[in-house]
Amino acid sequence: MTQAIELTSSIDTLAQELAAIQQTGSKRIAILGSRHVPITHQKLIEMMSYALVLSGNRLITSGAAGTNSAAIKGAMRADPNSITVILPQSLERQPRESREQLEQVMHLVENPANDHLSLAEASAMCNREIISRCQQLICFAFHDSHTLMQTCREAEEQNRVVTLFYFD
């Protein structure tokens, strides 16, 4: 019985991945990742988000430095209307260097109700909201990035296509 369930699950997963590959229309793609990203990797993420937007996709990310900042920069360069940024807390709780970029984002969602939470708790909640709004997740993480690894597991449980890149 367990093998039949596993086989059915594998077939369902394969069917979803094939459908995602064949989809030619625009998708809602979430890009999430570590704050601690070398500048060369940030440039690659920026170029990828730029290309994804030019291909007609809409991006969703959060407001942190590193991966998310690079995704915002690329999407904004391609089409400022194509990106939604969901913050784990209020804009005021974001680092000063991030606020300048975030103030330029047309579709900015703040979560001031989470200001009393730790950043880790607020980020986990924020990532869940981002996953609920996307069809696909692209994640850049280290193997010990617990919050991001949990986000990827949750996205897979919700049948999202997940592409995970490791920095280490």
Side-chain angles (χ1 to χ4, degrees):
M1 182 68 162
T2 304
Q3 284 182 320
I5 293 170
E6 288 176 10
L7 180 59
T8 302
S9 177
S10 296
I11 291 171
D12 289 344
T13 300
L14 180 60
Q16 290 167 352
E17 289 179 1
L18 286 172
I21 291 169
Q22 293 175 334
Q23 182 181 0
T24 56
S26 75
K27 290 183 255 181
R28 291 178 317 278
I29 301 173
I31 298 179
L32 295 172
S34 177
R35 291 173 171 79
H36 311 289
V37 182
I39 191 72
T40 54
H41 290 80
Q42 288 181 40
K43 288 294 186 187
L44 290 171
I45 294 165
E46 181 183 334
M47 286 189 293
M48 182 188 67
S49 67
Y50 178 76
L52 286 168
V53 169
L54 287 181
S55 300
N57 298 291
R58 295 193 50 79
L59 300 187
I60 307 166
T61 193
S62 192
T67 300
N68 301 344
S69 178
I72 294 167
K73 189 173 182 182
M76 294 285 288
R77 192 164 47 101
D79 177 4
N81 195 41
S82 68
I83 184 149
T84 299
V85 177
I86 302 174
L87 300 178
Q89 297 170 319
S90 64
L91 183 60
E92 291 76 34
R93 294 289 307 256
Q94 305 309 305
R96 184 179 43 81
E97 59 274 7
S98 297
R99 271 186 267 158
E100 187 174 307
Q101 180 187 44
L102 294 170
E103 289 169 350
Q104 305 303 311
V105 174
M106 293 168 54
H107 305 288
L108 182 68
V109 178
E110 296 182 63
N111 283 296
N114 296 340
D115 283 356
H116 70 283
L117 300 173
S118 71
L119 181 57
E121 291 173 309
S123 293
M125 291 174 65
C126 178
N127 289 353
R128 282 187 205 103
E129 182 177 350
I130 290 169
I131 295 307
S132 75
R133 294 182 181 210
C134 77
Q135 297 166 292
Q136 180 177 355
L137 168 64
I138 300 173
C139 187
F140 297 88
F142 293 94
H143 282 85
D144 64 352
S145 301
H146 301 291
T147 301
L148 291 169
M149 295 291 99
Q150 180 61 34
T151 298
C152 290
R153 284 189 291 275
E154 290 174 8
E156 288 172 341
E157 289 169 4
Q158 294 179 36
N159 298 317
R160 304 299 192 258
V161 175
V162 177
T163 305
L164 177 57
F165 295 98
Y166 290 103
F167 291 123
D168 55 357

